[in-house]
Amino acid sequence: MTGPTAAETSADGAFVRQPYRFRGRFSRDGSTAFPAEAGRYRLYVSLACPWAHRAIIVRNLLGLQNVISMAVVDPVRDERGWALRDGSGHERDGVCGFDFLSEAYLRSDASYEGRYTVPCIWDTRTERLVTNNFPDITIDFETEFVDFHAPQAPELYPAHLKSEIDALNDVLYRDVNDGVYKAGFATSQAKYEEAVHALFARLDDLDARLASSRYLVGGQLTESDIRLFTTLVRFDAVYAIHFKCSVRRLVDYEHLWAYARDLYQRPGFQETVNFDHIKRHYYLTHEKLNPSRLVPVGPAVNWNAPHRREALP
């Protein structure tokens, strides 16, 4: 994600995330929304972005790689926004022909003036963006693309746990997922401290919760675990330093750290984590937070160390 614009910092110094303009949804049979079809849609992601990372993990876990194509943007943004290029030079998106993600936004709405965010989904048939509203994307993958799920795909948003997952997701978003951004982009001491205290109070609660349960909800892997994981995996490498979320590190939490390793070591997670993209994006893009644009070395932690959580209920 990028740094805030003036419109995203309130008068009292609080970070306020911009609304997401494109909010199309999918439906299994196409009767109420964009139809869930194979080969029609293209997911645009950054490997650095935690919101996009959710969509990548869910796509992997459900076996949708051959159903929804995916393009990865360059991790280092400039004034032109997210670019579609590889490490050797500039490359157009081979499917949609974009040089920059902004082209998808402006082709969908020529008057669009917001930030060009990931994740977003492009409809190759109507040639417009369906959605850039990240909370909806994984839910629709889980509930509307069910006809294309792999035979052994996990049920990440089961109906009997929906209310509990939704309630937990609300506090995870408020205090943790967006909480690190509220701390990192605050422009007043009061708003920074408010965000940091809420963040670590929630992490303390989660650490206690995970002492006796392998997962967050219902004794099984769910949408909530994925939402928490993408913040935890960035915590020590970025948020503790870059966003001043330094009260405690992830590795200082007995249960959260073991839980994060447990998820990381599952098929569908580890191969989606790219610490090079993560660190280069945050430290090279947010010049107001890191004017020198130096990328820290480390942290030297072993994500493949035994987690010993198999016996938990």
Side-chain angles (χ1 to χ4, degrees), residues 74-76 275-285 295:
D74 189 277
V76 182
F275 285 112
D276 173 64
H277 275 230
I278 290 168
K279 289 167 64 176
R280 283 197 294 129
H281 168 67
Y282 282 93
Y283 291 107
L284 296 179
T285 298
V295 179

Side-chain angles (χ1 to χ4, degrees), residues 168 172 175-177 180 198-216 224-236 248-265 302-303 305-309 312:
L168 180 58
L172 287 177
D175 296 337
V176 180
N177 303 140
V180 293
L199 166 65
F200 283 96
R202 184 63 59 194
L203 291 178
D204 292 347
D205 288 344
L206 291 167
D207 190 66
R209 179 179 187 145
L210 289 164
S212 58
S213 178
R214 189 170 184 182
Y215 304 110
L216 289 171
S224 297
D225 296 298
I226 296 164
R227 293 189 181 205
L228 179 57
F229 174 79
T230 59
T231 296
L232 295 182
V233 79
R234 289 160 174 76
F235 203 88
D236 290 1
R248 281 175 288 282
R249 301 165 301 168
L250 173 62
V251 297
D252 297 324
Y253 282 101
E254 177 183 359
H255 306 296
L256 270 176
W257 172 222
Y259 162 83
R261 298 198 311 276
D262 186 4
L263 295 180
Y264 178 83
Q265 293 168 29
N302 184 7
W303 279 87
H307 53 78
R308 299 184 176 89
R309 291 181 59 81
L312 287 173

Side-chain angles (χ1 to χ4, degrees), residues 9 32 47 90 94 112 116 141-142 148 177 181 189 208 215 226 229 232 254 265 283 298 300:
T9 305
T32 58
L47 302 182
H90 196 272
Y112 182 79
Y116 310 116
F141 283 180
E142 292 153 1
F148 304 101
N177 303 140
Y181 285 89
Q189 186 71 28
Y215 304 110
I226 296 164
F229 174 79
L232 295 182
E254 177 183 359
Q265 293 168 29
Y283 291 107

Side-chain angles (χ1 to χ4, degrees), residues 32-211:
T32 58
F34 285 84
E37 295 180 6
R40 175 170 173 175
Y41 303 106
R42 189 152 176 83
L43 172 67
Y44 286 89
V45 299
S46 164
L47 302 182
C49 170
W51 320 109
H53 194 182
R54 298 176 182 179
I56 301 170
I57 292 172
V58 170
R59 177 176 173 267
N60 274 18
L61 292 175
L62 299 181
L64 296 176
Q65 296 94 324
N66 294 324
V67 176
I68 301 165
S69 68
M70 187 175 80
V72 177
V73 298
D74 189 277
V76 182
R77 286 180 51 107
D78 58 24
E79 66 278 0
R80 297 168 296 177
W82 297 109
L84 291 148
R85 57 173 171 258
D86 63 17
S88 62
H90 196 272
E91 296 282 344
R92 291 176 65 85
D93 174 27
V95 172
C96 299
F98 301 135
D99 290 316
F100 291 91
L101 190 59
S102 57
E103 296 170 45
Y105 279 78
L106 296 174
R107 193 181 298 180
S108 303
D109 180 357
S111 65
Y112 182 79
E113 295 181 345
R115 288 193 294 114
Y116 310 116
T117 61
V118 288
C120 60
I121 296 181
W122 177 261
D123 179 6
T124 62
R125 185 170 302 171
T126 62
E127 296 192 334
R128 55 158 291 181
L129 282 174
V130 176
T131 180
N132 72 335
N133 193 45
F134 63 86
D136 295 339
I137 290 174
T138 52
I139 298 296
D140 283 357
F141 283 180
E142 292 153 1
T143 60
E144 305 305 323
F145 281 84
V146 290
D147 293 329
F148 304 101
H149 290 183
Q152 302 304 319
E155 192 174 4
L156 299 173
Y157 195 59
H160 71 286
L161 295 175
K162 180 179 182 298
S163 60
E164 189 176 352
I165 291 171
D166 289 345
L168 180 58
N169 286 352
D170 285 344
V171 297
L172 287 177
Y173 174 78
R174 182 191 67 215
D175 296 337
V176 180
N177 303 140
D178 205 39
V180 293
Y181 285 89
K182 292 176 186 176
F185 291 130
T187 57
S188 73
Q189 186 71 28
K191 288 300 178 183
Y192 159 73
E193 292 188 11
E194 178 183 306
V196 164
H197 290 318
L199 166 65
F200 283 96
R202 184 63 59 194
L203 291 178
D204 292 347
D205 288 344
L206 291 167
D207 190 66
R209 179 179 187 145
L210 289 164

